[in-house]
Amino acid sequence: MQDFTPLVVGIDVGGTKTHLRACAGADVVADHIRASSGWRPHDPATAADWLTALIKDALPAHTRPSAVAVGGHACETPRQCAEIRAALEERLKVPALVVGDAELLVPAAGLDKGVGLVAGTGSVAVGLLADGGRLQVGGWGAVLGDE
């Protein structure tokens, strides 16, 4: 019987750079950083195509992920994230999770609840609640509001 370690891919698509890391257990299979140019989260098909190409470029030949998680800059609503997730799952044929990149702040700090704040040209605060719920304020960019 062959031992199978799932290959999981995590992608942080920021406004400037994108960082992909793929791991099989504790082993890092790929650690890839590139510019985020071409990222178009308001068009789910284009976003999924961009992510699929990134994954294929970053992973070793003939390697497929078992699951993909994405924190995407300018993924502003649960509906938008769900549409990108569905398009990505259709292309890769694996489970995917897509959230706004600000939602990565709390888990990146090793916490399961808290508030992450991004303040820059635009601002957003995302809270992860103890019950698993999510609360967001802002995130619409400087043109619509910069609470």
Side-chain angles (χ1 to χ4, degrees):
M1 178 183 261
Q2 185 177 0
D3 184 30
F4 175 74
T5 303
L7 177 67
V8 294
V9 174
I11 305 170
D12 177 5
V13 183
T16 304
K17 71 174 177 72
T18 295
H19 190 170
L20 175 147
R21 180 169 287 170
C23 296
D27 297 328
V28 175
V29 175
D31 194 359
H32 181 77
I33 297 174
R34 64 174 264 191
S36 296
S37 57
W39 172 242
R40 303 286 181 264
H42 297 291
D43 178 349
T46 300
D49 288 343
W50 190 88
L51 291 164
T52 300
L54 170 66
I55 291 166
K56 288 181 180 177
D57 288 347
L59 294 183
H62 310 294
T63 305
R64 285 181 32 103
S66 298
V68 176
V70 178
H73 168 70
C75 287
E76 296 156 341
T77 67
R79 179 180 173 186
Q80 179 188 9
C81 291
E83 289 173 351
I84 295 170
R85 178 197 49 77
L88 188 59
E89 287 181 340
E90 180 182 308
R91 284 156 180 75
L92 297 176
K93 308 295 187 224
V94 300
L97 171 68
V98 177
V99 299
D101 63 342
E103 222 172 305
L104 301 177
L105 295 170
V106 172
L111 303 171
D112 58 1
K113 61 183 174 187
V115 176
L117 174 65
V118 175
T121 304
S123 65
V124 62
V126 177
L128 300 179
L129 307 173
D131 66 2
R134 175 183 175 277
L135 179 66
Q136 177 175 322
V137 176
W140 300 105
V143 174
L144 296 177
D146 221 359
E147 296 91 320

